[in-house]
């Protein structure tokens, strides 16, 4: 029997605010343990939370960018569970009135992955276990998170990967998070079950916790899918449980501890007041949502004549897309700009984060200047290519490398002179041509082009050469 | 009796009849003797007190004007955070805990050079009505030390009633300021929820807790309330005082004031208390006030509603005591989870455990709707019932407690019985209203009786004014100083 | 009727141990309190939605950093610390 995968995601994303969600400590990553703490974020008795306005704004922007409905009235609740990384023994989160609901993320196939909700909450501290001792660091405690919960709409590893990449792109584009999975500022819990193809009911699901790499998400889902199918095939039953993925052995194993008795006893946090957002405020935030990657991609294809793949590769990274748009603004053929970026510039940006940061020596204006020379027929493509290389190496502008004479073209006498030289210098090719080897003429023309450093008009040169050898 | 102690001692300082150092030392030495009987203080802070006194004396020497509370010896309930000074909620689990920050109220008062004599006794985590659940043993009633001072702010009431503090700050979640004030024959004001910042008050039940003054006179309560009330950006639920300082309207005429009496408040109230209330009504009539009777059926469920909601919040608020960041930690355990469980089991007393368990129960899956949700909705109707009541009267007059201070040891025996003593005080906390308890007589055994004036939200001025007028008229028949403490 | 099992389950959630000899008394006490609490379910009225006292909304903080506390202060009240961390040592 064939089986299909059914998966949904719970994605935690750390917001790029300056301060924590309920106190004024910095959210900066990677400081010494317990140096970004105050009485509030270590939960000293008597302290009270005060909600960071920016957290609400960022969460609403995340909702707007993923087609959610934004709640005008919302509240904060306490999720009670006792664990050493949680200083108050409850996490302030949102239970039945989240800020955003009923959104979706659209995949390139056009398929929509529905979002159940997006809510705000506080992150926990970090536990380090050494030789059975437990070390606690609360720097991360109270860092603002949004949790994005999807419906079980994902049917394959490919869809899963694209979904996570899309979320990552969107959140980076609207500037609410750097979504660095390796630093934990984006973490995914995957709910996965299997069912016979064609079946409509859901199987028993397992939850793989805290995935922090897209590759591992793929591997973990493949493994877990296989494990569940084998289990069922061999007459067993999948039991609902929380799993940890081990990337060394590439297997999933059951998580113990925290999970034993899960009754979170949610109730409204009496220390915090109602969150009310007006439609005007929501519209203001909508204004701040930039054109998103897939929208750009479409426009690049339809209006600028790029092919799907190039359009996607450029639109994917906000910095590169903006570079492309400035550089191609007003040039005859934006495709030329795209080719330079995808060809020569991408060769210098190996990793994803290189492309994210996009640090190159040449400005969009400088590239535009270069492309305009091609448009005006002042220089030929291969000269432009070598010039761009020099520009990228030095950060200097076009003029530094392309002289007036380079751009002047050649007057007739000079061309004739050069053609004569070419005929003398290539007796073999000339002979071959005379013996009916049409192609041989090309190498003679090539000689002229080479000598003229690309300034000569190849067609004119060929005509002259033919005239000379009669 | 109209002039309060705060002004009285303030004048002594201003007229240089006594230095702040002398005054402070007088109180400190009286504490040494009286506290043996009263057990009002769980920690005395002579260094802090004398240090402040020195500053005040320097100001006086320079002829600088003193603010009303400057140089006045006072005390704080042991659940109000004081930087560097042990704050234990009278619980073993906070043994040795010295906060690294100040509660907003203490930040305010210390900046005014209030002289802190020490931290006072309370029921563990403010959970109790007798002060006897304190890890340090209960505080005694200054009118008869075989009787309890009441709770949970029993230590403050005992200290102020016993004249070993001019005034003190307590906290009131279900009556913890008004009930001990009533038992000790003094004045206790529970402000409107949100009038005084809760920042730094160690939480029992966050949506009920409120800090307020315990004093010997109404004027003193007004002065202290004016000083500590105010908006605090650290407390999302704080709004501060609305309107002018309450001292300004203290002596206003109350002719035509409508005083409401809800019959439900008198159900099951003991006769000596009922009688005192009726006498008080006569005094008010003589002052030209009008007494109107009405019903508040919603009060029927006030007590269970209070215990369900307060314990639910408490079960969450007290989850943080895990022995990791502060306070007591058990000595032997196998793993972190066992360390936490043993620490909590050894660190909390019986009443606290009972309330944590009740709170956990009413929030847990399957019971939430029947208890927590339902209680929350009934809280809504109680709020509305009071809103309506204040359409037909300016203030509500009620007993503070159905009885007078009971003898030591009688409280703990039966939890429910003890809970019933809160019947007249909890409605005010449920609705977030201001309420003041003032002395209104004594029973045949010479134990003080208190009555309660309740106002609409942010109407502290009204109830303080009505209270002052009564105090002024009734005078010494309702107030008697105990034989303890400082007499000058 | 509150059972021993109920009390033990609630105690587990509350991170409290109930000693065997305490269990009867605690169960009795809980049963009394719950019976008492149950009286609200005799209330004829459903009651009204309660939001928060004084119906407040939107008490926000601006997103401006204030220097954190010194680590010494943060760790001052801890039972056990090491290398700038709160510490729970293994015991046997």
């Amino acid at each position: 029997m064939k089986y299909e995968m059914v998966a949904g995601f719970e994605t935690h994303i750390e917001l790029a605010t300056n301060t924590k969600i309920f106190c004024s400590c910095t959210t900066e990553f990677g400081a010494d343990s317990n140096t970004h703490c105050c009485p509030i974020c270590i939960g000293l008795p008597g302290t009270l939370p005060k909600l960071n306005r920016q957290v609400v704004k960022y969460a609403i922007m995340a909702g707007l960018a993923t087609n959610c409905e934004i709640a005008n009235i919302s509240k904060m609740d306490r999720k009670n569970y006792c664990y050493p990384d949680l200083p108050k023994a409850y996490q302030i989160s949102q239970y039945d009135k989240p800020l955003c609901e009923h959104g979706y993320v659209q995949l390139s196939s056009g398929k929509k992955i529905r979002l159940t909700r997006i809510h705000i909450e506080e992150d926990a501290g970090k536990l380090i276990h050494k030789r059975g001792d437990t070390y606690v660091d609360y720097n991360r405690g109270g860092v603002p998170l949004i949790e994005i919960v999807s419906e079980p709409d994902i049917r394959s590893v490919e869809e899963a990967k694209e979904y996570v990449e899309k979320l990552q792109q969107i959140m980076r584009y609207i500037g609410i998070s750097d979504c660095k999975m390796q630093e934990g500022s984006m973490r995914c819990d995957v709910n996965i079950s299997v069912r016979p193809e064609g079946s409509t009911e859901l199987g028993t699901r397992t939850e793989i916790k805290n995935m922090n790499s897209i590759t591992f998400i793929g591997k973990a889902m493949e493994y877990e899918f296989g494990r569940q199918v084998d289990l069922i095939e061999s007459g067993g039953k999948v039991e609902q449980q929380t799993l940890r993925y081990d990337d060394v052995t590439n297997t999933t194993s059951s998580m113990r501890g925290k999970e034993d008795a899960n009754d979170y006893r949610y109730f409204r946090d009496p220390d915090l007041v109602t969150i009310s957002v007006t439609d005007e405020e929501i519209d203001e935030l909508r204004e701040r949502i930039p054109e998103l990657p897939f929208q750009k991609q479409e426009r690049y294809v339809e209006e600028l004549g790029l092919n799907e793949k190039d359009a996607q590769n450029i639109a994917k990274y906000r910095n590169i897309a903006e570079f492309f748009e400035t550089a191609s603004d007003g040039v005859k053929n934006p495709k030329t700009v795209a080719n330079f970026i995808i060809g020569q510039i991408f060769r210098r940006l190996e990793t994803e984060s290189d492309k994210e940061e996009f640090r190159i020596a040449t400005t969009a204006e400088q590239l535009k200047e270069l492309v305009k020379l091609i448009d005006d027929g002042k220089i030929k493509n291969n000269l432009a290519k070598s010039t761009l290389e020099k520009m990228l190496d030095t950060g200097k502008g076009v003029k530094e490398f392309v002289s007036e004479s380079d751009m002047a073209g050649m007057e007739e006498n000079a061309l004739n002179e050069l053609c004569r030289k070419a005929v003398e210098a290539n007796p073999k090719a000339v002979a071959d041509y005379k013996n009916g080897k049409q192609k041989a003429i090309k190498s003679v023309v090539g000689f002229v082009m080479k000598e003229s450093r690309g300034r000569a008009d190849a067609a004119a040169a060929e005509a002259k050469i033919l005239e000379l050898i009669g | 009796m109209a002039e309060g102690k705060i002004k009285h001692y303030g004048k002594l300082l201003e007229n240089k009849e006594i230095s702040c150092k002398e005054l402070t030392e007088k109180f400190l030495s009286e504490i040494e003797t009286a506290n043996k009987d009263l057990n009002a203080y769980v920690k005395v802070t002579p260094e802090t007190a004398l240090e402040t006194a020195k500053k005040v004396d320097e100001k006086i020497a320079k002829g600088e004007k003193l603010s009303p509370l400057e140089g006045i010896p006072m005390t704080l309930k042991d659940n109000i955070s004081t930087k560097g000074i042990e704050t234990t909620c009278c619980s073993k689990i906070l043994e040795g805990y010295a906060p690294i920050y100040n509660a907003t109220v203490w930040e305010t008062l210390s900046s005014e050079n209030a002289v802190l004599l020490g931290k006072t006794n309370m029921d563990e985590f403010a959970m109790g009505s007798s002060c006897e659940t304190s890890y340090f043993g209960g505080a005694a009633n200054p009118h008869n030390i075989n009787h309890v001072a009441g709770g949970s702010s029993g230590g403050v009431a005992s200290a102020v009633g016993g004249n070993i503090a001019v005034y003190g700050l307590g906290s009131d979640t279900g009556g913890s300021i008004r009930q001990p004030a009533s038992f000790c024959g003094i004045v206790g004001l529970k402000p409107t929820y949100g009038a005084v910042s809760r920042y730094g008050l160690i939480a029992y039940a966050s949506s009920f807790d409120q800090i307020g003054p315990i004093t010997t006179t109404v004027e003193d309560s007004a002065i202290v309330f004016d000083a500590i009330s105010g908006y605090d950006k650290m407390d999302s639920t704080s709004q501060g005082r609305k309107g002018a300082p309450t001292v300004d309207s203290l002596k206003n005429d109350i002719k035509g004031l409508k005083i409401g009496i809800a019959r439900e408040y008198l159900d099951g109230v003991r006769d000596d208390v009922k009688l005192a209330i009726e006498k008080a009504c006569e005094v008010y009539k003589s002052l030209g006030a009008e007494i109107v009777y009405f019903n508040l059926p919603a009060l029927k469920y006030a007590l269970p509603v209070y215990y369900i909601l307060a314990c639910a919040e408490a079960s969450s608020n007290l989850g943080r005591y895990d022995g990791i960041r502060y306070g007591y930690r058990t000595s032997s355990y196998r793993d972190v989870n066992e360390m936490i469980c043993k620490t909590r089991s050894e660190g909390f007393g019986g009443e606290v455990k009972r309330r944590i368990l009740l709170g956990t129960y009413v929030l847990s899956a399957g019971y939430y709707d029947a208890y927590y949700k339902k209680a929350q909705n009934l809280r809504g109707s109680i709020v509305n019932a009071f809103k309506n009541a204040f359409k037909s009267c300016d203030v509500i007059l009620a007993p503070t407690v159905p009885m007078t201070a009971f003898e030591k040891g009688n409280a703990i025996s039966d939890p429910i019985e003890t809970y019933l003593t809160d019947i007249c005080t909890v409605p005010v906390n449920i609705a977030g209203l201001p309420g003041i308890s003032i002395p209104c007589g004594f029973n045949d055994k010479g134990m003080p009786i208190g009555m309660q004036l309740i106002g609409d939200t942010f109407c502290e001025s009204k109830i303080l004014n009505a209270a002052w007028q009564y105090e002024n008229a009734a005078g010494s028949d309702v107030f008697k100083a105990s034989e303890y403490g400082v007499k000058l | 009727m509150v059972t021993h099992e109920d009390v033990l389950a609630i105690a587990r959630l509350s991170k409290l141990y109930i000693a065997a000899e305490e269990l009867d008394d605690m169960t009795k006490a809980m049963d009394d309190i719950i019976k008492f609490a149950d009286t609200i379910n005799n209330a004829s009225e459903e009651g009204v939605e309660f939001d928060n006292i004084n119906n407040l909304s939107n008490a926000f903080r601006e997103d401006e950093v204030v220097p954190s506390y010194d680590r010494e202060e943060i760790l001052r009240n801890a039972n056990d610390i090491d290398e700038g961390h709160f510490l729970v040592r293994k015991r046997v």
Side-chain angles (χ1 to χ4, degrees), chain B residues 97-98 100-101 193 207 236-237 239 301 303-304 308 323-327 329 331 333-334 337-338 341-342 344-345 356-358 360-361 370-371 374 376-381 384, chain C residues 10-11 13-18 26 29-30 32-34 36-43 45-50 53-54 56 59 69 73 77-80 86-89 91:
Chain B
Y97 167 65
I100 59 173
Y101 75 102
Y193 187 83
S207 74
S236 306
T237 63
Q239 293 178 84
Y301 301 106
L303 210 47
I308 290 167
I324 293 174
R325 294 163 302 281
Y326 43 80
R329 179 189 291 184
S331 49
Y333 50 85
R334 267 184 265 103
N337 186 60
E338 186 179 277
C341 294
K342 280 189 76 181
R344 292 168 60 78
S345 305
I356 290 175
L357 291 173
L358 172 63
T360 307
Y361 186 91
Y371 297 107
K374 176 81 187 214
Q376 198 72 292
N377 291 347
L378 289 175
R379 183 178 195 176
S381 13
N384 294 350
Chain C
I10 295 299
L13 280 174
S14 313
K15 299 283 174 185
L16 289 171
Y17 289 144
I18 308 291
M26 189 55 91
M30 284 295 288
D32 292 347
I33 301 171
I34 292 300
F36 169 66
D38 253 324
T39 55
I40 66 167
N41 290 306
N42 310 335
E45 57 179 316
E46 266 317 296
V48 297
E49 185 68 36
F50 177 83
I53 297 213
N54 304 325
L56 300 177
Y69 274 51
E73 286 291 291
N77 280 287
N79 268 282
D80 199 355
F86 294 93
L87 177 62
V88 182
R89 278 178 214 280
R91 287 266 196 289

Side-chain angles (χ1 to χ4, degrees), chain A residues 19-38:
Chain A
T19 66
K20 293 185 177 183
I21 182 169
F22 296 121
C23 68
S24 303
C25 289
T26 175
T27 55
E28 219 173 276
F29 180 77
D32 289 349
S33 63
N34 296 303
T35 54
H36 291 172
C37 297
C38 74

Side-chain angles (χ1 to χ4, degrees), chain B residues 143-316:
Chain B
H143 290 278
N144 178 343
I145 60 171
N146 300 319
H147 290 243
V148 301
S152 66
S153 312
V156 183
S158 176
V160 174
N163 306 303
I164 46 176
V166 178
Y167 72 93
L169 295 189
S171 68
D172 191 315
T173 307
S176 288
I177 285 175
R178 290 159 290 154
Q179 189 254 26
S182 165
F183 277 10
C184 295
I186 50 177
V187 178
L189 170 68
K190 182 267 171 195
T192 306
Y193 187 83
V196 179
S197 169
R198 291 183 296 119
Y199 192 76
L201 170 67
I202 298 182
Y204 158 19
S206 313
S207 74
F208 296 84
D209 297 341
Q210 190 64 192
I211 294 175
I214 293 177
T215 65
T216 42
T217 69
V218 174
E219 184 190 64
D220 291 347
S221 279
I223 293 169
V224 176
F225 173 72
D226 288 342
I228 61 172
S229 55
Y231 167 75
D232 178 13
K233 64 181 190 351
M234 302 301 283
D235 177 356
S236 306
T237 63
S238 110
Q239 293 178 84
R241 188 181 70 237
K242 301 199 174 161
T246 57
V247 282
D248 298 356
S249 49
L250 220 44
K251 301 176 181 176
N252 289 0
D253 192 339
I254 58 165
K255 241 182 220 56
L257 184 82
K258 277 208 181 66
I259 299 176
I261 295 193
R263 299 187 179 83
E264 289 77 1
Y265 269 118
L266 298 170
D267 297 347
V269 169
R270 272 207 336 228
D271 295 344
D272 49 5
V273 177
K274 233 182 230 157
L275 190 68
I277 298 292
E278 280 153 14
K279 279 204 196 132
C281 289
E282 292 316 311
V283 173
Y284 272 118
K285 283 183 192 153
S286 72
L287 290 167
E290 181 189 343
I291 309 292
V292 293
Y293 288 83
F294 62 96
N295 296 326
L296 265 179
L299 289 190
K300 186 146 82 261
Y301 301 106
L303 210 47
V305 163
Y306 166 76
Y307 275 96
I308 290 167
L309 298 179
C311 291
E313 292 180 13
S315 69
S316 173

